[in-house]
Amino acid sequence: MTMHKTVPVSVDAMLEDLRKLVEIESPSRHLDALGASAKAVAAVIESRLGGQAVLVESEAGPHVHWSGGGDPQVLVLGHHDTVFPLGTLERRPFRVHDGHATGPGVFDMLGGLVQAIHGLATLDDRSGVEILVTADEEVGSHSSRALIEERARACRAVLVFEGAAEGGGLKTGRKGCGTFEVTVTGRASHAGLEPAAGVNALIEAAHQVLDIAALGRPEIGTTVTPTVASAGTLDNVVPAEATVIVDVRVESAHEKERIEAAFATLAPHLDEAEITVRGAIGRPPMPESASAELFAVARRLLPGLEGRAVGGGSDGNFTAALGVPTLDGLGAVGGGAHADHEYVVIDAMAERANLVAGLVNTLRPTRTDESQQRLRDL
């Protein structure tokens, strides 16, 4: 059997590249910043892995795609957009201290990208591996979903480098998630002179919030949470319009269908009030069955590794829904995603980079395997 050689990974080199990426801020939807970030990601990939990283332009910013050549086998998936606005770096610069690396986006998910790249760099043979780093994961992956699905179908496995679960575990399952916007249209009138002549959109919205919250079934993993509401214009005007934003998480395709049908059939309580609903559960659930085979491989490579199903979604939800084996949470060990205390545990970086190399070596067919397959095909 042909073995793939590896070379040691350098933590100092990983921290150097992590600093480069963190210090180019990349908030979602900021096209200029994302353009600079994509170029930086491409430069790191090319300097560590060789070849050419292609920028795939989109309305959401450039995605970055790299291939090690040969038949595609393993897709390494991540994103370079972050949730932090421009200027965050000035207030919270990249730092290495007390065994942690900190800075905006360091855990979600620039640290994971760096580990994946450096893990692949230890391999003398990188054929069969592709990297896709998207620009819009934090805002729903609307422009990248088709490309993600195209490359996932072309490969036999997907490794997602979102940050690890609490305690360093891999993410073996994810809830489907989506956002709904419920708009209530009523009729304005003077709140003092003719309150009855109006149709109070705020009162209707209050009814809808109670109806919507009642859709949740937390005992089976379905949460339906109204998160943002707005209504009215002046304190002496019956509000003619109100809006409610709702976050939804589900664990099964059946619940996805039930919730979407329930939102589509919301009915007004007040005469003459009208309701309009936009949104859907855009990320389908990622069942633990989608990761079972890959997680077993990871545990053989790193005994004691734990797996956890989590509530948040990622682009791994899309690839798992295609039936492509998908393992998530392979990125940085740390915490504080989307928060000011976001951090990466430096001591875990080399171990996770080496896990990448081990997974790729295990998942790619060896040359002996390929020869045997060709003989079977004759």
Side-chain angles (χ1 to χ4, degrees):
M1 179 179 292
T2 300
M3 298 298 291
H4 299 288
K5 298 178 182 178
T6 63
V7 296
V9 68
S10 167
V11 174
D12 287 342
M14 282 195 283
L15 289 173
E16 175 187 340
D17 286 345
L18 183 54
R19 177 186 293 274
K20 290 177 184 176
L21 298 186
V22 171
E23 291 185 345
I24 300 176
E25 295 179 283
S26 55
S28 304
R29 298 192 176 101
H30 196 296
L31 298 186
D32 289 342
L34 289 167
S37 174
K39 290 177 181 177
V41 170
V44 170
I45 291 173
E46 291 174 354
S47 69
R48 301 300 179 183
L49 302 178
Q52 181 179 8
V54 177
L55 300 189
V56 183
E57 298 295 337
S58 82
E59 62 184 12
H63 314 308
V64 183
H65 181 248
W66 176 90
S67 172
D71 292 333
Q73 302 289 336
V74 181
L75 177 64
V76 169
L77 185 58
H79 64 91
H80 65 99
D81 64 318
T82 66
V83 300
F84 301 102
L86 290 181
T88 303
L89 186 69
E90 183 177 358
R91 176 174 58 84
R92 192 159 57 88
F94 179 82
R95 292 182 61 201
V96 174
H97 61 103
D98 295 334
H100 290 173
T102 59
V106 71
F107 178 68
D108 188 11
M109 60 166 292
L110 301 176
L113 291 182
V114 169
Q115 290 172 186
I117 293 165
H118 281 256
L120 295 176
T122 67
L123 302 177
D124 67 340
D125 177 10
R126 296 158 197 161
S127 62
V129 182
E130 293 190 12
I131 300 175
L132 178 59
V133 185
T134 65
D136 63 343
E137 191 276 343
E138 295 289 4
V139 290
S141 304
H142 300 296
S143 77
S144 59
R145 180 173 181 174
L147 179 59
I148 292 167
E149 292 176 340
E150 173 195 310
R151 299 323 307 157
R153 287 190 180 98
C155 297
R156 60 185 291 178
V158 177
L159 306 178
V160 185
F161 283 81
E162 294 281 359
E166 185 178 354
L170 301 188
K171 295 174 179 177
T172 52
R174 284 186 177 274
K175 289 186 179 183
C177 52
T179 302
F180 292 84
E181 181 181 270
V182 179
T183 300
V184 177
T185 302
R187 184 171 60 247
S189 67
H190 195 293
L193 297 177
E194 296 183 300
V199 178
N200 195 315
L202 178 55
I203 292 177
E204 179 61 54
H207 284 292
Q208 294 301 321
V209 165
L210 295 176
D211 290 347
I212 290 166
L215 296 173
R217 293 180 180 174
E219 69 279 6
I220 58 172
T222 300
T223 59
V224 181
T225 309
T227 54
V228 180
S230 61
T233 54
L234 295 171
D235 60 1
N236 62 351
V237 178
V238 172
E241 187 169 285
T243 302
V244 178
I245 308 297
V246 187
D247 178 275
V248 177
R249 312 278 166 150
V250 299
E251 288 187 358
S252 69
H254 174 75
E255 280 295 277
K256 175 181 183 295
E257 294 170 1
R258 181 183 72 84
I259 292 296
E260 289 180 338
F263 271 93
T265 56
L266 287 175
H269 289 251
L270 303 181
D271 291 341
E272 299 184 72
E274 297 179 358
I275 295 174
T276 303
V277 178
R278 293 191 299 173
I281 299 175
R283 295 186 191 273
M286 173 183 162
E288 291 190 78
S289 58
S291 66
E293 180 182 352
L294 297 181
F295 181 60
V297 173
R299 289 202 69 173
R300 289 198 297 270
L301 294 168
L302 194 59
L305 194 62
E306 295 186 354
R308 298 189 181 186
V310 297
S314 82
D315 288 336
N317 292 57
F318 298 136
T319 63
L322 298 174
V324 180
T326 299
L327 185 59
D328 205 336
L330 286 160
V333 176
H338 299 189
D340 281 353
H341 67 282
E342 183 181 22
Y343 68 95
V344 166
V345 177
I346 294 171
D347 284 348
M349 293 180 73
E351 182 178 74
R352 286 305 175 101
N354 289 327
L355 179 60
V356 180
L359 282 166
V360 168
N361 274 342
T362 303
L363 296 175
R364 289 183 305 181
T366 64
R367 295 182 179 92
T368 300
D369 294 336
E370 292 168 347
S371 298
Q372 291 174 346
Q373 182 62 50
R374 283 195 294 270
L375 288 173
R376 285 193 293 269
D377 291 341
L378 292 176

